[in-house]
Amino acid sequence: MTDLVRLSFSIEKPLHDRLEDMVHRLHYENRSEFIRDLIRSRLVEEEWEGNQEAVATITLVYKHHARGLSDKLMDLQHHHCRNILAVTHVHLDEHRCAEAIMVRGRANAIREIAGLLQQQKGVLHAAVSMSTTGKRIT
Ligand code: NI
């Protein structure tokens, strides 16, 4: 287990009240755990800003019947197979599909893959959930 360091710092009363409100509203057991998570979130943002190795999920929603789209999306995924860890496909209804594509690689490579998938005609929406390998945030 990592050594714990006890901190003491001052913040404005309104900010403190908002902090307490968030800790309570989000059901954190204590303030420390909430602040740890805030710091980790910021560190992950910095990993993405610095083009570090990252983990992400790309979620796509697309039209199942769009001409050639399924093949095109599959071709792109094969081309980037070194970055793709897993894919889950869901048939949303008669006409629409969703895919959750779990990827790992440099942040810019992940952004590029997401962009290529998103710009295909018939893709209705693409979202990237940016996460981390976890190596730098313990
Ligand atoms: Ni489908």
Side-chain angles (χ1 to χ4, degrees):
M1 175 157 176
T2 313
D3 289 340
L4 290 178
V5 177
R6 187 169 293 277
L7 294 176
S8 167
F9 60 96
S10 307
I11 58 173
E12 290 77 5
K13 175 78 166 77
L15 212 49
H16 166 268
D17 293 346
R18 301 210 42 196
L19 169 67
E20 292 304 298
D21 179 56
M22 281 190 285
V23 169
H24 178 74
R25 191 159 32 86
L26 299 172
H27 307 289
Y28 274 82
E29 281 192 17
N30 57 59
R31 202 182 298 123
S32 295
E33 199 53 50
F34 179 75
I35 291 170
R36 281 185 201 112
D37 278 352
L38 282 182
I39 295 168
R40 289 190 189 108
S41 292
R42 181 65 194 125
L43 288 170
V44 171
E45 282 177 25
E46 287 192 1
E47 288 180 9
W48 278 79
E49 287 161 11
N51 192 27
Q52 299 292 314
E53 189 192 23
V55 167
T57 304
I58 303 167
T59 303
L60 293 180
V61 175
Y62 62 91
K63 293 179 184 173
H64 172 66
H65 297 296
R67 182 182 293 274
L69 179 58
S70 297
D71 285 346
K72 183 68 187 170
L73 294 176
M74 192 62 76
D75 284 349
L76 284 168
Q77 290 181 39
H78 274 272
H79 186 69
H80 295 279
C81 63
R82 280 182 300 139
N83 295 106
I84 295 178
L85 302 171
V87 182
T88 297
H89 182 107
V90 177
H91 312 300
L92 293 174
D93 59 28
E94 288 293 316
H95 308 288
R96 282 166 285 269
C97 300
E99 269 181 20
I101 305 163
M102 198 159 183
V103 290
R104 178 178 189 162
R106 292 276 179 178
N108 288 348
I110 293 173
R111 287 190 185 97
E112 186 188 339
I113 294 167
L116 287 168
L117 294 166
Q118 180 169 23
Q119 67 191 243
Q120 303 306 314
K121 193 170 165 51
V123 173
L124 299 169
H125 189 249
V128 182
S129 168
M130 296 180 278
S131 191
T132 175
T133 60
K135 292 175 188 170
R136 296 181 190 82
I137 61 166
T138 50

